[in-house]
Structures are given as structure tokens and as C-alpha cells.
């Protein structure tokens, strides 16, 4: 599912918050992607790309891992700020594993403008 209304100001305030967190992590850490997820209790987890010699994780995979490590049992939503055209299949799978196939994934450009909203499907 693609959302044609990508105006970030039209987003629900909680969704706008995770886009802002994802954008902040990307800028602060100077990484290719920033991501944030919101769990079933409303807690948020923000992360950037991990690129070590022995460990490579996308920002969204890292945010999902942080949520799981903190005891989250489900996700309400996810956001990724990226220069890529869309969220990768691997990123959507990580969100789906914790949140289910209907979990929304907001994909925003580096300026924070949401380009599309997908489901983890």
C-alpha cells in the first residue's frame, strides 16, 4: 500500500515523532539511514545503520533489535529515513517479524518528507 499524501505535517503526531527521531539519528551519527519504531506500549527506539567489520545491520533492523532487546512484544509503526527509493525486503521482514504484516512502515527522504507508507507485509 502506498500513501499518496506524503505531507509530513498531515501525519499522526506519534508517526511524525518517529520520523523526526529517525532523521535526527541519521544526521547526528552521519550514517546512511536512521530509523525508529514504536512498540505496543508507545515506547520508541531509534537507531542508525551499523557497519562494523563483523556486523552489518540496517537502521531499521537495528531499531527492531533494540525494541526486542528491551522487551517489546509487538510494533505499532516503523519509520526509516533514507536516500534509497524504498524500504528493503529485509527491513520490512524485520518489522513484520515483530509487528505483523499490517504494521505501517513510513519511508522518508533525508529531509524528513515521507515518500511512501508501506505495510510490513
Amino acid at each position: 500500500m502506498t500513501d499518496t499524501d506524503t505531507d509530513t505535517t498531515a501525519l499522526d503526531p506519534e508517526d511524525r515523532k518517529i520520523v523526526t527521531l529517525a532523521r535526527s539519528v541519521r544526521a547526528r551519527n552521519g550514517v546512511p539511514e536512521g530509523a525508529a519504531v514504536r512498540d505496543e506500549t508507545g515506547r520508541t527506539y531509534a537507531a542508525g545503520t551499523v557497519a562494523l567489520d563483523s556486523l552489518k545491520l540496517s537502521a531499521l533492523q537495528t531499531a527492531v533489535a533494540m525494541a526486542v532487546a528491551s522487551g517489546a512484544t509487538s510494533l505499532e509503526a516503523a519509520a526509516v529515513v533514507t536516500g534509497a527509493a524504498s524500504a528493503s525486503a529485509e527491513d520490512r521482514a524485520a518489522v513484520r517479524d515483530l509487528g505483523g504484516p499490517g504494521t505501517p512502515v513510513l519511508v522518508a527522504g533525508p529531509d524528513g518528507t515521507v515518500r511512501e507508507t508501506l505495510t510490513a507485509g
Side-chain angles (χ1 to χ4, degrees):
M1 149 173 107
T2 300
D3 181 8
T4 56
D5 180 9
T6 58
D7 178 7
T8 305
T9 60
L11 290 176
D12 170 273
E14 293 299 314
D15 288 345
R16 190 169 44 247
K17 176 182 173 182
I18 60 174
V19 171
T20 300
L21 288 170
R23 186 172 181 226
S24 296
V25 167
R26 182 180 184 271
R28 181 178 59 248
N29 296 341
V31 291
E33 293 183 336
V37 298
R38 185 175 61 250
D39 74 10
E40 74 282 359
T41 68
R43 289 180 298 184
T44 56
Y45 307 87
T49 307
V50 174
L52 301 173
D53 289 341
S54 62
L55 180 63
K56 308 260 188 257
L57 293 172
S58 72
L60 200 47
Q61 291 168 335
T62 305
V64 170
M66 289 173 62
V68 170
S70 296
T73 58
S74 184
L75 294 178
E76 291 181 350
V80 61
V81 173
T82 180
S86 190
S88 71
E90 295 83 6
D91 283 352
R92 291 174 64 201
V95 172
R96 183 176 58 245
D97 286 348
L98 186 58
T103 307
V105 178
L106 300 129
V107 181
D111 66 353
T113 301
V114 176
R115 296 188 300 237
E116 65 180 341
T117 300
L118 310 167
T119 60

